[in-house]
Amino acid sequence: MALRAKLVPHSKTETGAADNRQVQVQFNAVGGPENEAWARYTPAASLSISLKGDLADRFEIGRAYFVDITEATDA
């Protein structure tokens, strides 16, 4: 089984500096045609991830991203 959710970052919290900079990015689900099948079974979602600063810079507040959830067959 696979799920695809459309999430949007709503906040970033930075700690540290330079090579030690880390950013916690908070995401929430958004509506739209891409989320119809997913939202039918899971009407809400949130995600919080901590990333190294350079990677976190790639996520823009308010811009949508897909998160795919699939079973790990090697578990």
Side-chain angles (χ1 to χ4, degrees):
M1 183 170 99
L3 295 173
R4 171 172 263 201
K6 186 176 180 183
L7 303 180
V8 173
H10 65 86
S11 69
K12 292 182 176 183
T13 305
E14 295 191 28
T15 57
D19 289 340
N20 294 320
R21 184 170 71 101
Q22 297 223 355
V23 182
Q24 184 162 6
V25 184
Q26 302 279 336
F27 296 81
N28 283 330
V30 295
E34 301 90 347
N35 260 5
E36 285 179 11
W38 171 82
R40 190 173 324 137
Y41 304 104
T42 311
S46 63
L47 172 67
S48 175
I49 55 176
S50 294
L51 304 166
K52 290 280 192 175
D54 292 346
L55 181 58
D57 292 341
R58 297 179 188 178
F59 293 99
E60 296 178 31
I61 299 294
R63 185 169 184 176
Y65 300 89
F66 286 118
V67 175
D68 295 311
I69 303 169
T70 57
E71 181 180 358
T73 58
D74 62 342

